[in-house]
Amino acid sequence: MSLVQRGSMLLRQLCCWLGWREGFPVTVVLLALIGAATAYGADTVPTSSPDLHTFTNQEGKTINAVILSVAQDDVNLKRDDGQSFKVAVSTLSKEDQVFIRLWVIQQAQAHHEDVLTISAASVRTDAKPVPSTNKISVTSQWTEGYKVKVTNETPVHWANLHLRYVIFRQAGVPGAMPPSNYTPTHSTGTAAIDDLPGQQDVTVSTDKIDLLEVSTAPGYSYSNGAPVKVTDQIQGIWLRVYDDGNNLLQEWSSSKEITKDISWDALWAPVARGRRGAGNARGAAPARGN
């Protein structure tokens, strides 16, 4: 008996075992078997899949799986044998927790979606007069900063985030002629976001910056004809949010103009914030009485 005849006989026996009548087309049986095998294979993950990752729990046990989704503190995995299940992220190794967070970031970037959305509103105190050491200038002072709202657009529960920011301002130079009567400067700082659940928001505050308005006293002016009053001005804020692994989650600025042709790395540094003195009309020319 040839190999083909043996195969045909075996298929007919299989048909009978499955309850089909003798003479049922062999091709139909073959298609049914192929379909069943294909359906089984669709539930498995190829061992060569680039998304396949070896996850290790804190007890040292490992599994090979791909990430299906992440929601709050749980990750849905599909093992290489096709079985799907949910695992608490906190039960996995620190390395795998970082891997899962990076996966979320990559998924958002691949779909051109934001991980976080950010907005900021300036907040200032009322101006108060500053005692002067002379009679030719009048100075007032106030503080100004930002309240920053950060919204988590993902289902992931983020923790231990940190926000870094640069606040841009124009510092007035009393007695100087335009455009030298204002000098661009900036202040940097950080704010902690300890807990940010999925699809929720949090508001944090930046440091306050001391601002001044300096003007000549009534009856006085500058000998060079400079403006008699200069007022410090906040121009905007540029900020970034990082996770605890120092991975950039989101970047935002209040205006594209303030970040144009400027390097973040060159600007941002946790430097001490100085205060400018107040009281005298400061500038290139002395004030004089009329």
Side-chain angles (χ1 to χ4, degrees):
M1 182 180 295
S2 68
L3 182 62
V4 174
Q5 290 173 329
R6 286 179 179 274
S8 179
M9 182 181 69
L10 289 173
L11 284 174
R12 287 191 176 90
Q13 290 175 349
L14 178 61
C15 289
C16 294
W17 180 74
L18 293 174
W20 287 314
R21 61 184 175 81
E22 183 74 17
F24 200 82
V26 172
T27 53
V28 174
V29 177
L30 286 172
L31 289 174
L33 293 174
I34 293 172
T38 303
Y40 172 78
D43 289 333
T44 62
V45 179
T47 56
S48 59
S49 172
D51 297 326
L52 196 65
H53 179 78
T54 300
F55 292 90
T56 306
N57 67 13
Q58 295 183 7
E59 296 177 352
K61 296 179 180 180
T62 63
I63 59 169
N64 295 322
V66 297
I67 299 176
L68 298 178
S69 63
V70 181
Q72 297 295 359
D73 296 321
D74 295 320
V75 56
N76 293 308
L77 301 175
K78 187 174 185 179
R79 205 162 56 188
D80 51 3
D81 62 1
Q83 183 179 355
S84 300
F85 48 91
K86 183 185 297 184
V87 175
V89 175
S90 58
T91 65
L92 299 173
S93 68
K94 296 296 183 183
E95 293 78 8
D96 286 335
Q97 293 181 34
V98 171
F99 176 82
I100 292 168
R101 289 198 297 266
L102 291 176
W103 182 87
V104 171
I105 297 172
Q106 292 167 357
Q107 290 297 304
Q109 293 173 343
H111 294 87
H112 305 287
E113 297 173 347
D114 291 329
V115 175
L116 309 171
T117 53
I118 302 170
S119 61
S122 62
V123 180
R124 59 173 290 172
T125 60
D126 295 332
K128 296 181 179 180
V130 177
S132 178
T133 59
N134 59 57
K135 297 181 180 180
I136 64 174
S137 66
V138 178
T139 304
S140 59
Q141 183 181 48
W142 68 97
T143 62
E144 190 167 345
Y146 284 91
K147 283 191 177 296
V148 180
K149 181 180 178 181
V150 180
T151 302
N152 185 358
E153 299 294 347
T154 75
V156 178
H157 190 156
W158 297 101
N160 302 320
L161 304 181
H162 56 278
L163 180 150
R164 298 176 184 171
Y165 59 84
V166 181
I167 297 177
F168 299 87
R169 70 181 187 275
Q170 291 275 22
V173 182
M177 291 293 291
S180 300
N181 58 333
Y182 283 99
T183 300
T185 185
H186 68 275
S187 300
T188 61
T190 64
I193 302 176
D194 297 326
D195 190 67
L196 184 55
Q199 312 297 337
Q200 296 189 31
D201 59 71
V202 66
T203 299
V204 296
S205 297
T206 68
D207 291 337
K208 299 293 193 302
I209 299 172
D210 291 337
L211 301 175
L212 300 176
E213 180 179 89
V214 181
S215 60
T216 59
Y220 289 86
S221 62
Y222 291 105
S223 59
N224 63 348
V228 298
K229 181 173 68 175
V230 288
T231 305
D232 293 350
Q233 300 174 359
I234 294 290
Q235 292 185 296
I237 185 172
W238 185 10
L239 55 84
R240 291 180 174 184
V241 179
Y242 296 84
D243 68 7
D244 57 357
N246 210 36
N247 299 299
L248 177 62
L249 298 183
Q250 201 67 48
E251 180 174 0
W252 182 86
S253 65
S254 56
S255 169
K256 291 183 178 180
E257 288 300 317
I258 62 175
T259 62
K260 187 177 180 181
D261 301 324
I262 298 178
S263 167
W264 170 271
D265 293 333
L267 283 176
W268 197 92
V271 296
R273 296 158 190 76
R275 296 193 178 195
R276 292 184 290 114
N280 297 328
R282 303 153 297 165
R288 65 184 181 183
N290 294 330

